Amino acid sequence: MLKNNACVIGYPIHHSLSPRIHSFWLNAYNIEGNYSREEVRPDDLTMFLNTMVEKGFKGCNVTIPHKEKVKDFLEEHHWIDSAARKIGAVNTIKVVGEQLQGFNTDFYGFMASLKAGLAEGLEGEKKCDDLYGKKVMVIGAGGAARGIIYGLFNDLVDKVILTNRTQEKADKLAADFGQKIEVVPWEKKTDYLSDVDVLVNTTSLGMIGQPPLEMDLDGLLETAVVTDIIFNPLHTELLMDARKNGHKIIDGLGMLLHQAAPAFKHFYDPENEAFHGLPEVTDALRNYVLEGLR
Ligand code: ATR
């Protein structure tokens, strides 16, 4: 049995970039370990979870379509942290003895990427990555939006303006969070742009093979930042339009890289004295992962 064995589970799974990220860090920190892709069909999910310990896994990442089911299973039979409970999804499992502990690192990944992007290119006193008091427009109300909204309020944003094609889903999400979320109609979203500091697309619009998110950005404040959680393509039409209009843009690859950092710590830190803290998201890692997209 391999010493430090972790993996990513999903269905389908062959496109996952997680093995590239984790193997880069295993090499960089000289840690003996392995990170594999495991195709787990929905019908086989419970069996996989029930045999993780005996197979010797230290942990795993969880991707589409299993995040919500894993949260339910671990909540009932094992343990999940408060963020995973509130978001309603688990993307990281850590094996502790016989127990499977569930976490959600996606919200951390989004916030870390956003903050790194906000601070980039600024020096001294201007180097501000603070979200405190900011107003953020979130486009989309699916699973990804839930994690992002959790992260935004965790970092004390003032207000979220939420819009979704299916408005009932946005209303439900707003009611679940019970915080300062204003739901605005999908057709009228551009009317609210003058009030936002950050605009984020969490829908699948703009992803390779999908239509773009068509949105006139003329109403945005000059200082507003535009970000997309899509990383394939790296620069969606939304981001290209925003850049043309002079806005700072933050692509979706940063979220993918940063969400992996706490997961890596969960999997490999307890066994390895050489490694402490979170592994670094560097340009070298980014370039290595980008090669996997080509
Ligand atoms: P994820 O976990 O990635 O968030 P999801 O929960 O399936 O995936 O959510 C997908 C999001 O993309 C939803 O906000 C969805 O809008 P609906 O709730 O109206 O379905 C949005 N989305 C997907 N295709 C879309 C389209 N063609 N136009 C507008 N929104 C779309």
Side-chain angles (χ1 to χ4, degrees):
M1 197 182 284
L2 285 161
K3 196 168 162 229
N4 283 310
N5 205 7
C7 66
V8 55
I9 62 166
Y11 186 76
I13 197 63
H14 54 278
H15 286 310
S16 173
L17 291 168
S18 291
R20 241 180 138 78
I21 304 173
H22 288 272
S23 61
F24 180 93
W25 281 328
L26 286 169
N27 280 331
Y29 294 106
N30 211 9
I31 292 171
E32 192 190 326
N34 183 57
Y35 187 100
S36 57
R37 277 188 194 93
E38 302 287 328
E39 185 180 270
V40 176
R41 290 167 188 266
D43 285 349
D44 298 332
L45 181 62
T46 308
M47 202 201 3
F48 176 84
L49 296 172
N50 283 332
T51 54
M52 263 188 91
V53 176
E54 70 193 56
K55 283 181 182 151
F57 284 113
K58 297 282 178 207
C60 75
N61 284 119
V62 181
T63 189
I64 291 168
H66 299 319
K67 292 183 187 186
E68 288 82 13
K69 288 252 165 56
V70 168
K71 177 245 157 202
D72 290 342
F73 181 86
L74 297 193
E75 193 170 29
E76 194 179 340
H77 301 288
H78 292 265
W79 182 89
I80 58 171
D81 80 346
S82 57
R85 180 168 298 116
K86 178 87 183 178
I87 295 165
V90 161
N91 80 324
T92 302
I93 302 174
K94 175 185 186 175
V95 175
V96 181
E98 297 285 307
Q99 189 181 54
L100 307 183
Q101 299 188 344
F103 301 89
N104 187 303
T105 70
D106 286 330
F107 84 89
Y108 165 83
F110 175 76
M111 295 310 299
S113 172
L114 177 58
K115 289 192 248 183
L118 290 176
E120 197 179 52
L122 302 177
E123 294 297 335
E125 280 175 18
K126 284 190 180 155
K127 201 171 172 88
C128 178
D129 64 1
D130 202 350
L131 268 299
Y132 177 78
K134 296 267 196 273
K135 295 182 174 58
V136 182
M137 180 181 279
V138 175
I139 302 173
R146 272 189 92 85
I148 284 166
I149 290 173
Y150 176 90
L152 290 169
F153 283 120
N154 201 41
D155 270 309
L156 303 179
V157 296
D158 177 48
K159 180 180 174 184
V160 167
I161 298 169
L162 179 63
T163 187
N164 193 50
R165 176 181 60 176
T166 314
Q167 186 157 335
E168 300 83 72
K169 272 167 75 177
D171 289 335
K172 165 135 190 0
L173 203 161
D176 285 354
F177 274 83
Q179 270 158 314
K180 290 198 268 176
I181 302 180
E182 181 183 0
V183 177
V184 303
W186 181 251
E187 298 73 27
K188 293 218 157 65
K189 54 187 176 304
T190 48
D191 294 357
Y192 298 83
L193 286 176
S194 61
D195 200 26
V196 309
D197 303 297
V198 178
L199 174 72
V200 50
N201 175 42
T202 76
T203 73
S204 45
L205 293 172
M207 195 183 283
I208 202 156
Q210 298 279 330
L213 170 67
E214 279 169 18
M215 193 159 171
D216 181 351
L217 299 178
D218 285 350
L220 261 185
L221 293 173
E222 218 176 292
T223 50
V225 172
V226 179
T227 177
D228 205 320
I229 67 165
I230 290 166
F231 55 83
N232 195 11
L234 195 57
H235 291 142
T236 56
E237 276 195 32
L238 174 74
L239 292 187
M240 290 194 292
D241 281 354
R243 190 155 62 181
K244 233 181 277 160
N245 283 12
H247 298 285
K248 177 174 252 189
I249 61 167
I250 301 170
D251 66 55
L253 187 59
M255 177 180 178
L256 179 76
L257 302 178
H258 282 281
Q259 64 75 34
F264 186 85
K265 183 172 166 61
H266 282 311
F267 305 152
Y268 301 111
D269 187 42
E271 299 286 321
N272 289 280
E273 304 226 328
F275 175 75
H276 296 287
L278 291 184
E280 244 189 303
V281 173
T282 57
D283 285 344
L285 170 68
R286 203 180 144 82
N287 291 333
Y288 181 69
V289 174
L290 269 177
E291 275 169 31
L293 269 180
R294 284 180 199 127

